[in-house]
Amino acid sequence: MTTFNITRRMLMGANALLVAAAAALLPAGASAQATWPGRPIKLIDAFPPGGSSDVIARAISNKLSARLGQPVVVENKSGAGGALGTDAVAKATPDGYTLLVVTTAMATNASTGKKLPFNFAKDLVPIGQIATSPLVIVVPAQSQAKTLRELVDLARAKPNGISYGSSGVGSMSHIGMEMLAMETKAQLLHVPYKGIPLAYPDLVSGRLQAMLGSVVTLSPLLESGKLRLLAVAGPQRMTSAPNLPTTAEAGFPGFQIEFWWGLMGPAGMPPEVVRRINEELNTILAEPDMREMLTRLAAIPKSGTPDDFGRLISLELSRWSKLIKEANIKVE
């Protein structure tokens, strides 16, 4: 063995030790960032196929797949008002390969006080908000109420004389209308259904007098003239209905409720992976075709940091918990 060979081997061994030492000094997030993603990513939608969250999940997954160089596969895991899919992500390995599309419905579900197999605030980490969409107050076409003020006046004149449908106790369509009742000091009659579409025939016929819902899901009934819009419960008017006043403009500034979507993952994800997904998500939301798709859902893109989304979630959980307690809503 020559002196040259010995020296070369010694240098190679020293280099290997230096590389190993340097890797050991790197933060866990930096190491994860260097290797992630190395395999397909699962994006769980906790609601059935065909809904708005499914449409958004598939659009986001296609865009992320192209940008990350790995397949992002949507899996619909519905049940228990979104709790089944949420629990699957909360209990997943926090390595960035299992993500969740979250909605306002999950925040309201987590605020009802019912027992859940996860802690929404602690077992999940916010990655980024995707979009918001205001909800609207609608009445049958033959309703006496032409404005939200007139609907409220009718409710005040006859307590529990104005009935509204919802997708169940503790749902957004229920809690939102209870918010309106508290804001206006009117007594409304709640009629829960096993899914909001089941309430539409009763609303159209006039057996129900009002409903809080999404303009997208209600659009066929609105376009056919079977329902009438009274107000949008968001902070600004909709571009698709510029003449429709906001609830604040109608005289009820305390009644505002928006539906939102976002991305979360299991708590403990490497910060650098969270930051990478957030950066890619913000880039995606700025793309014209993505914005056009969201516009068709009457949604507004909402980019921001993980902390921004985390603050929104905290405010929502606090807001809904307070309202549910004050309205004495009991969810089994």
Side-chain angles (χ1 to χ4, degrees), residues 183-303:
E183 167 74 6
T184 61
K185 296 180 171 56
Q187 293 182 30
L188 306 174
L189 180 62
H190 176 220
V191 183
Y193 290 76
K194 293 181 179 179
I196 202 68
L198 298 177
Y200 292 163
D202 287 344
L203 180 63
V204 170
S205 69
R207 285 190 290 271
L208 293 173
Q209 285 78 52
M211 184 179 288
L212 175 71
S214 162
V215 70
V216 174
T217 56
L218 291 168
S219 61
L221 297 173
L222 292 167
E223 290 170 1
S224 65
K226 294 177 179 178
L227 297 179
R228 180 191 305 136
L229 285 166
L230 294 188
V232 55
Q236 59 191 31
R237 295 192 179 197
M238 297 187 300
T239 54
S240 58
N243 295 325
L244 184 69
T246 65
T247 49
E249 291 172 329
F252 308 106
F255 175 52
Q256 286 195 10
I257 177 170
E258 287 188 296
F259 198 87
W260 48 257
W261 301 264
L263 285 184
M264 297 185 83
M269 280 178 59
E272 288 301 317
V273 172
V274 171
R275 190 175 302 117
R276 169 78 185 281
I277 301 172
N278 174 265
E279 290 171 353
E280 300 292 0
L281 178 62
N282 287 338
T283 299
I284 289 168
L285 292 176
E287 294 179 359
D289 59 337
M290 190 69 190
R291 299 179 77 88
E292 182 181 345
M293 185 277 291
L294 290 171
T295 298
R296 290 197 298 271
L297 294 176
I300 303 169
K302 290 286 183 180
S303 58

Side-chain angles (χ1 to χ4, degrees), residues 26-301:
L26 285 172
S31 179
Q33 172 72 356
T35 59
W36 183 92
R39 64 177 192 272
I41 298 163
K42 183 188 298 182
L43 178 58
I44 290 182
D45 173 24
F47 297 98
S52 61
S53 62
D54 182 61
V55 173
I56 287 176
R58 294 183 188 281
I60 293 292
S61 69
N62 289 336
K63 293 284 190 179
L64 278 178
S65 295
R67 296 192 64 82
L68 296 176
Q70 287 287 347
V72 179
V73 183
V74 175
E75 178 181 322
N76 295 94
K77 200 174 187 67
S78 60
L84 191 63
T86 305
D87 186 48
V89 177
K91 291 180 170 56
T93 303
D95 53 10
Y97 291 99
T98 306
L99 307 175
L100 176 70
V101 175
V102 292
T103 72
T104 318
M106 295 171 177
T108 56
N109 195 34
S111 304
T112 57
K114 67 180 178 181
K115 189 175 181 180
L116 294 171
F118 56 87
N119 185 310
F120 189 81
K122 294 180 179 180
D123 295 340
L124 296 164
V125 62
I127 295 173
Q129 190 175 357
I130 297 172
T132 63
S133 180
L135 299 182
V136 292
I137 296 287
V138 295
V139 295
Q142 68 272 26
S143 173
Q144 298 177 49
K146 302 298 190 294
T147 65
L148 181 57
R149 172 68 67 181
E150 290 180 357
L151 180 69
V152 169
D153 288 343
L154 288 171
R156 286 171 174 167
K158 188 179 180 181
N160 290 323
I162 297 295
S163 62
Y164 69 91
S166 82
S167 57
V169 177
S171 64
M172 280 196 70
S173 48
H174 173 209
I175 297 173
M177 288 299 283
E178 288 303 310
M179 181 194 297
L180 176 64
M182 294 179 67
E183 167 74 6
T184 61
K185 296 180 171 56
Q187 293 182 30
L188 306 174
L189 180 62
H190 176 220
V191 183
Y193 290 76
K194 293 181 179 179
I196 202 68
L198 298 177
Y200 292 163
D202 287 344
L203 180 63
V204 170
S205 69
R207 285 190 290 271
L208 293 173
Q209 285 78 52
M211 184 179 288
L212 175 71
S214 162
V215 70
V216 174
T217 56
L218 291 168
S219 61
L221 297 173
L222 292 167
E223 290 170 1
S224 65
K226 294 177 179 178
L227 297 179
R228 180 191 305 136
L229 285 166
L230 294 188
V232 55
Q236 59 191 31
R237 295 192 179 197
M238 297 187 300
T239 54
S240 58
N243 295 325
L244 184 69
T246 65
T247 49
E249 291 172 329
F252 308 106
F255 175 52
Q256 286 195 10
I257 177 170
E258 287 188 296
F259 198 87
W260 48 257
W261 301 264
L263 285 184
M264 297 185 83
M269 280 178 59
E272 288 301 317
V273 172
V274 171
R275 190 175 302 117
R276 169 78 185 281
I277 301 172
N278 174 265
E279 290 171 353
E280 300 292 0
L281 178 62
N282 287 338
T283 299
I284 289 168
L285 292 176
E287 294 179 359
D289 59 337
M290 190 69 190
R291 299 179 77 88
E292 182 181 345
M293 185 277 291
L294 290 171
T295 298
R296 290 197 298 271
L297 294 176
I300 303 169

